[in-house]
């Protein structure tokens, strides 16, 4: 369990057994532990005072040693399509970002797993900033709690995607804890972890009892392209990555999402569109084409292909019997690609 700045324990991210240890000499009855846990992971209580079903004396005793401490929303940017991009700050001044897309029916929340990224993809603002610290499982879950309360989504059906800043499979233990906590309110069938293809991380994910959906950022059809575009991920060759995907245990009817950021002149040729279905042959996948989201300051010289070329690429994949969709960018007017909002904070503070 982590501690808050005043050294009291932070209940955000605590497991049942950690809460039991904390309550041990106050009120060790299992139903009390369950009550506190319920307030934290299902009702998303913002403070001990919110836990109204607990006797006041118990809340007071607990307050001497524990707090409920979530990250703070330090900025919000609303796009015209309803997408809201949030910057969230932790106690050490680290700022990360998250996104809420409130479409009809289910809202989708996009979480960050690290405050930077060591993979260093050339088309990614987070990568351009380089490695940042890991977020703990509690910090990731705190992000979720803060956003769900902010967007008035407590108790509403949600999708959660790990597509914000960072590479979740390079922060595996924290990811696993956050998934365990999330699973108390969101079915893991509605949670997607996106990875740049960290093979040992995929193997660990495959061994979890309860697994989320998997999305893999492929972004290239040759090793040479991939090594250039995603230097930190290319350590695991395409052949090893594809073998790990073939071995990945999928539940019936599930598919792996293959993400492919389209960059003009790098990976958008008819040759690429010919190679991609061959690479993915026999794998239960759906391909999500993502037109590159430009950032002239941090990612100069890179552009998305024109819409016609994107549609032609998609059509070529469909003709080869791949299940393909194009992610026409949400929140384009607020710079919805990961890292872009935080980059403003870093620049502002510099
Ligand atoms: N590190 C993980 C998850 C975070 S990135 C991963 O790479 O999968 C989430 C998605 O955003 C990835 O598919 C990535 O390829 C994509 N992405 C990053 N920068 C982008 C940009 N500038 N435009 C469009 N997509 C981008
Ligand atoms: Fe990291 Fe993903 Fe960005 Fe690559 S695309 S730098 S893996 S966050």
């Amino acid at each position: 369990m982590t501690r808050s700045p005043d050294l009291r324990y932070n209940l955000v991210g605590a497991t049942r057994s950690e809460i039991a240890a904390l309550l041990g000499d106050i009120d060790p009855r299992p139903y009390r532990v369950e009550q506190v846990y319920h307030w934290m992971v299902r009702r998303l209580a913002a403070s001990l005072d919110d836990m109204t079903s607990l006797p006041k004396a118990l809340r007071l005793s607990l307050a001497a040693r524990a707090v409920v401490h979530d990250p703070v929303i330090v900025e919000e940017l609303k796009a015209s399509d309803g997408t809201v991009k949030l910057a969230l700050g932790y106690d050490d001044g680290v700022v990360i970002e998250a996104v809420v897309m409130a479409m009809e029916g289910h809202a989708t929340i996009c979480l960050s797993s690290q405050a930077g990224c060591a993979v260093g993809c050339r088309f990614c603002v987070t990568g351009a900033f380089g490695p940042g610290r890991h977020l703990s499982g509690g910090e990731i879950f705190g992000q979720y709690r803060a956003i769900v309360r902010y967007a008035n989504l407590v108790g509403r059906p949600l999708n959660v995607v790990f597509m914000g800043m960072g590479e979740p499979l390079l922060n595996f233990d924290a990811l696993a804890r956050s998934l365990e906590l999330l699973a108390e309110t969101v079915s893991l069938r509605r949670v997607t972890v996106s990875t740049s293809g960290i093979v040992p991380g995929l193997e660990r994910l495959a061994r979890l009892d309860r697994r989320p959906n998997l999305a893999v950022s492929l972004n290239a059809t040759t090793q040479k392209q991939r090594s250039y575009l995603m230097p930190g991920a290319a350590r695991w060759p395409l052949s090893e990555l594809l073998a790990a995907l073939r071995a990945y245990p999928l539940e019936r009817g599930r598919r792996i999402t293959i993400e492919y950021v389209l960059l003009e002149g790098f990976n958008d040729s008819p040759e690429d569109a010919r190679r991609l279905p061959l690479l993915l042959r026999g794998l239960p996948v759906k391909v999500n084409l993502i037109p590159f989201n430009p950032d002239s300051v941090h990612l100069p010289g890179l552009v998305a292909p024109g819409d016609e070329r994107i549609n032609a690429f998609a059509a070529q994949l469909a003709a080869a019997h791949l299940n393909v969709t194009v992610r026409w960018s949400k929140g384009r007017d607020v710079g919805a690609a990961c890292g872009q909002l935080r980059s403003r904070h870093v620049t502002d503070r510099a």
Side-chain angles (χ1 to χ4, degrees):
M1 207 186 302
T2 53
R3 295 202 188 231
S4 72
D6 66 12
L7 298 181
R8 283 181 291 176
Y9 286 104
N10 190 359
L11 283 171
V12 177
T15 57
R16 274 192 184 87
S17 54
E18 287 170 342
I19 292 173
L22 203 62
L23 284 175
D25 57 346
I26 304 175
D27 188 342
R29 287 173 292 178
Y31 87 93
R32 282 285 183 235
V33 174
E34 208 46 49
Q35 264 181 322
V36 174
Y37 188 65
H38 182 88
W39 276 110
M40 291 304 299
V41 300
R42 299 183 77 96
R43 305 285 297 270
L44 310 187
S47 69
L48 288 173
D49 285 337
D50 280 358
M51 302 185 184
T52 45
S53 62
L54 298 180
K56 191 133 195 235
L58 177 76
R59 274 184 269 155
L60 277 175
S61 314
L62 196 52
R65 60 180 74 165
V67 287
V68 177
H69 190 59
D70 287 310
V72 176
I73 294 174
V74 292
E75 190 179 347
E76 52 165 22
L77 274 182
K78 292 186 178 164
S80 45
D81 64 5
T83 303
V84 184
K85 188 157 187 171
L86 301 167
L88 291 101
Y90 293 96
D91 297 324
D92 59 354
V94 155
V95 175
I96 57 92
E97 63 182 52
V99 179
V100 195
M101 287 158 278
M103 288 162 286
E104 309 110 45
H106 282 68
T108 298
I109 292 183
C110 173
L111 300 177
S112 289
S113 55
Q114 297 178 308
C117 188
V119 179
C121 301
R122 289 193 194 255
F123 49 83
C124 173
V125 177
T126 307
F129 272 91
R133 77 162 170 86
H134 288 322
L135 298 183
S136 68
E139 286 175 327
I140 297 172
F141 189 60
Q143 218 178 117
Y144 165 82
R145 288 169 32 92
I147 297 165
V148 170
R149 284 199 311 266
Y150 160 90
N152 285 321
L153 295 169
V154 181
R156 288 262 309 275
L158 286 175
N159 299 308
V160 177
V161 297
F162 284 80
M163 292 185 187
M165 294 165 61
E167 170 45 58
L169 296 189
L170 288 178
N171 187 15
F172 192 88
D173 292 337
L175 171 73
R177 177 179 286 226
S178 69
L179 289 173
E180 183 189 329
L181 297 164
L182 272 173
E184 300 287 349
T185 47
V186 188
S187 155
L188 289 190
R189 296 176 77 85
R190 295 205 164 274
V191 177
T192 301
V193 170
S194 174
T195 175
S196 58
I198 308 298
V199 170
L202 282 168
E203 289 164 355
R204 288 183 73 183
L205 200 63
R207 289 197 295 271
L208 289 184
D209 289 336
R210 288 194 292 178
R211 287 180 300 279
N213 297 310
L214 179 62
V216 177
S217 303
L218 195 64
N219 299 334
T221 61
T222 66
Q223 187 57 38
K224 195 168 167 221
Q225 262 176 346
R226 204 160 195 271
S227 303
Y228 178 77
L229 290 174
M230 309 176 72
R235 193 173 138 197
W236 296 280
L238 267 177
S239 54
E240 260 183 52
L241 172 57
L242 292 164
L245 298 186
R246 280 178 215 290
Y248 193 81
L250 281 177
E251 274 135 60
R252 263 169 76 105
R254 297 267 116 184
R255 285 164 188 264
I256 298 172
T257 300
I258 299 291
E259 294 163 289
Y260 194 98
V261 177
L262 280 165
L263 291 149
E264 187 182 79
F266 286 94
N267 62 4
D268 66 334
S269 71
E271 265 303 285
D272 288 307
R274 191 186 61 79
R275 278 190 295 260
L276 192 53
L278 298 177
L279 279 178
L280 299 174
R281 197 157 46 190
L283 270 170
V285 293
K286 50 187 177 187
V287 176
N288 193 208
L289 298 175
I290 313 173
F292 169 65
N293 205 324
D295 184 311
S296 56
V297 179
H298 303 101
L299 309 168
L302 296 177
V303 287
D307 290 0
E308 238 172 73
R309 195 165 167 95
I310 294 170
N311 285 326
F313 196 96
Q316 215 180 318
L317 299 187
H321 308 293
L322 273 182
N323 177 332
V324 57
T325 49
V326 181
R327 190 194 297 168
W328 297 108
S329 181
K330 298 241 170 282
R332 216 181 250 195
D333 48 339
V334 293
C338 63
Q340 285 177 336
L341 178 60
R342 192 213 51 159
S343 73
R344 281 186 11 164
H345 275 262
V346 173
T347 330
D348 289 352
R349 280 191 301 171

